[in-house]
Amino acid sequence: MEKNLHTGNLGMMIVDENGIVLRASPEFCRHFSLVESELVGARIHYIIENTFKKSPQKDPKKPVISGVIKGTPCLIRIHKEGRNFIYSALVKTGEVDPHEIDSFLKAAEKPKIMKKMNKSNRYSFDDIIGESSLMIQIKELAARIATSNSTVLLTGESGTGKELFAQAIHGLSLRGNHPFVAVNCAAIPNELFESEVFGYEAGAFSGAKKEGKPGKIELAQNGTLFLDEISELTYHAQGKLLRVLQEREVERLGGTISKNVDIRIIAATNRDLKSLVQEGKFRQDLFYRLFVFELKIPSLRQRREDIIPIALHLIKYFNEKFNREVVYIAPDLQEWLITNDWPGNVRELKAFIERGMNIVEGNALTLDCLNFSAYTEIPEQNMQIQENESLHSLEAEVRKAEISAIQRALKESNGDRTLAAQKLKIHLASLYRKMAKYDLK
């Protein structure tokens, strides 16, 4: 045990299992101006404030704690040796620069921040449902692009899954273990965009944090910055972003020093950037910086064979969320799903399936679950064109005629939609679509 009396930068004490001091090293006594004979027999919590009053076994499991010895804050390491405990004083205030402590704390927090940010990268190519030839082609191209560091522009209608592709590309890239930071350019007010994306220095504006704040660009260091709805950026913001792409450096709001950044840019838009360039609403130089790799994400209308697999995947998801046991989709609903145009794409389909999964009973999702269960008869006199009624537009007249024909066919068929479709000589799916269009329930 004698050899242990000289361990620790500032010396140490040996304490028994009841918290009674047995020995104190000369270094410990010298650094804190104490006398060993006065320490032996005393309880540890009288010597080191902030330690537990009970036995050392009750101390925190972490081997390094903070304590105060004769009014001096210190870091103290505790480890067990036999039945006794060694309290080694490591460092005290005045012997270390406060900035160094701050740097240490920031470095310690960085892995936690990185882990938290990487949780936002939730999707891979395995999560992109679709085995149509078009989707296989686009996924293979995206996978090849992923290994590059070049900028990617994702285009396609709203709801097609552009962010899902962005996360999958990031996850497969060499940056996959670094942050994926998403910015919705349309959701951040113009007056806050610069401070949120580029960050700000202390005192940059009223209400700013005294220590300043890194922007999304800095947070994406070594990783990927995803700029969703990039077409909504103001012309001024486009210019600042262009500098980041060209110079690979960012300057915080209110700052004077530029910081080098190593990030990959993935941008997304549901608008035609070429047309916006021609209209003077989008910078041409920024467009060419973004237009390195363009991936056009297809709509559901372009890959109808993927609709049912996606719907089944969504049903499985909502089974777990709503505690349901749905295992298949009724044939008439399958037909309706496939023939529907889905202008909102996968996002719309997901909302549609969720609506049905909230009210479904049993193991099958049917049209009845999606508010097509009952035919509400519309009084015939309200549908018929009166002789003295003025003529409307062709579109309005066609609407009236279709509503009247559907209403009559359903009445003659006693609500049998299959028979009504036969009478109208149209496909059953077309009947469902028109009933939805005209809100005929």
Side-chain angles (χ1 to χ4, degrees):
M1 187 67 69
E2 188 67 29
K3 60 184 173 61
N4 290 324
L5 290 177
H6 301 286
T7 62
N9 293 341
L10 304 178
M12 42 71 67
M13 291 184 295
I14 300 174
V15 181
D16 69 13
E17 57 189 0
N18 296 314
I20 304 297
V21 177
L22 301 177
R23 297 288 304 275
S25 72
E27 291 87 351
F28 184 85
C29 295
R30 184 174 65 256
H31 278 292
F32 297 101
S33 301
L34 294 168
V35 179
E36 183 182 12
S37 60
E38 296 176 353
L39 298 177
V40 174
R43 289 194 175 274
I44 186 66
H45 71 269
Y46 286 122
I47 301 168
I48 305 177
E49 300 175 32
N50 298 342
T51 54
F52 289 91
K53 293 184 179 181
K54 296 182 180 181
S55 63
Q57 290 99 320
K58 302 297 183 182
D59 275 333
K61 291 183 178 179
K62 292 185 178 179
V64 177
I65 65 169
S66 64
V68 179
I69 303 174
K70 288 198 69 175
T72 304
C74 304
L75 287 179
I76 301 154
R77 181 184 298 278
I78 306 173
H79 72 276
K80 191 173 183 181
E81 187 166 302
R83 298 180 63 180
N84 296 328
F85 293 83
I86 310 297
Y87 281 66
S88 301
L90 301 178
V91 67
K92 60 182 179 180
T93 55
E95 294 184 347
V96 63
D97 189 330
H99 294 293
E100 295 298 329
I101 296 177
D102 185 56
S103 298
F104 169 77
L105 293 175
K106 288 181 178 178
E109 285 295 319
K110 189 173 181 180
K112 297 179 182 179
I113 296 172
M114 297 281 286
K115 183 177 180 181
K116 182 178 180 181
M117 294 177 68
N118 283 331
K119 285 183 179 178
S120 63
N121 183 34
R122 297 171 294 172
Y123 302 110
S124 67
F125 284 105
D126 292 335
D127 298 306
I128 302 176
I129 308 301
E131 295 302 323
S132 61
S133 58
L134 192 56
M135 279 303 288
I136 290 175
Q137 180 182 354
I138 199 72
K139 283 195 286 186
E140 288 179 349
L141 179 58
R144 290 202 300 271
I145 291 173
T147 59
S148 164
N149 274 322
S150 298
T151 302
V152 180
L153 178 63
L154 301 171
T155 60
E157 296 178 6
S158 178
T160 51
K162 293 186 288 295
E163 181 167 354
L164 195 153
F165 266 90
Q167 291 196 23
I169 291 171
H170 168 75
L172 196 60
S173 72
L174 297 176
R175 300 174 181 268
N177 292 325
H178 296 282
F180 175 90
V181 180
V183 178
N184 188 326
C185 299
I188 302 177
N190 292 337
E191 61 273 16
L192 297 179
F193 182 85
E194 191 169 342
S195 62
E196 285 294 315
V197 176
F198 298 94
Y200 60 82
E201 296 291 358
F205 51 87
S206 177
K209 292 183 178 180
K210 61 180 181 180
E211 68 274 16
K213 180 183 176 182
K216 301 291 187 182
I217 295 173
E218 286 184 61
L219 294 176
Q221 181 74 342
N222 299 319
T224 300
L225 181 68
F226 175 56
L227 299 171
D228 196 12
E229 298 191 62
I230 194 169
S231 57
E232 306 309 307
L233 282 180
T234 63
Y235 211 79
H236 173 70
Q238 291 173 31
K240 295 211 67 174
L241 179 62
L242 178 64
R243 174 175 172 77
V244 175
L245 291 177
Q246 288 178 335
E247 307 299 331
R248 296 294 168 177
E249 60 183 28
V250 62
E251 183 178 310
R252 291 186 184 183
L253 184 64
T256 57
I257 301 175
S258 295
K259 299 181 180 181
N260 293 327
V261 289
D262 177 18
I263 58 173
R264 184 185 196 176
I265 299 289
I266 300 180
T269 180
N270 58 11
R271 301 181 66 182
D272 185 353
L273 291 186
K274 292 180 181 179
S275 297
L276 294 179
V277 169
Q278 293 174 354
E279 295 170 12
K281 297 179 180 178
F282 200 85
R283 295 181 63 109
Q284 186 178 55
D285 44 9
L286 177 58
F287 170 75
Y288 288 123
R289 280 283 175 180
L290 297 173
F291 202 73
V292 179
F293 284 117
E294 181 187 15
L295 283 178
K296 294 183 179 180
I297 313 303
S299 65
L300 281 183
R301 295 185 304 280
Q302 295 173 298
R303 53 183 186 111
R304 293 184 184 273
E305 58 267 49
D306 290 332
I307 292 176
I308 299 304
I310 293 173
L312 290 171
H313 176 78
L314 292 169
I315 286 173
K316 182 179 179 180
Y317 169 78
F318 288 117
N319 271 338
E320 296 179 3
K321 187 175 182 179
F322 299 147
N323 195 25
R324 297 287 193 264
E325 296 181 350
V326 176
V327 293
Y328 71 96
I329 303 171
D332 55 349
L333 178 55
Q334 287 195 36
E335 189 174 12
W336 191 90
L337 291 173
I338 293 171
T339 55
N340 191 46
D341 282 342
W342 302 111
N345 294 289
V346 179
R347 187 179 292 123
E348 181 186 2
L349 177 60
K350 182 178 181 180
F352 187 83
I353 296 297
E354 181 177 0
R355 184 162 62 247
M357 292 293 288
N358 270 287
I359 61 174
V360 67
E361 295 180 358
N363 64 353
L365 194 64
T366 66
L367 274 173
D368 291 345
C369 303
L370 282 309
N371 296 330
F372 292 101
S373 57
Y375 164 64
T376 303
E377 185 176 48
I378 300 174
E380 196 165 358
Q381 62 269 24
N382 292 340
M383 293 292 107
Q384 295 175 346
I385 301 175
Q386 303 298 324
E387 291 182 358
N388 59 352
E389 187 177 350
S390 59
L391 185 67
H392 297 283
S393 67
L394 179 60
E395 181 180 357
E397 297 294 343
V398 170
R399 174 188 173 89
K400 287 185 177 182
E402 287 195 336
I403 291 175
S404 179
I406 293 171
Q407 180 258 347
R408 180 178 175 183
L410 286 167
K411 183 177 181 180
E412 292 178 359
S413 304
N414 294 320
D416 187 327
R417 286 162 288 192
T418 302
L419 184 57
Q422 292 174 354
K423 285 179 175 290
L424 294 168
K425 296 183 179 180
I426 61 175
H427 198 279
L428 178 59
S430 297
L431 175 61
Y432 283 133
R433 189 161 57 249
K434 290 181 181 297
M435 288 176 66
K437 178 181 179 181
Y438 299 132
D439 199 26
L440 300 177
K441 300 177 181 178

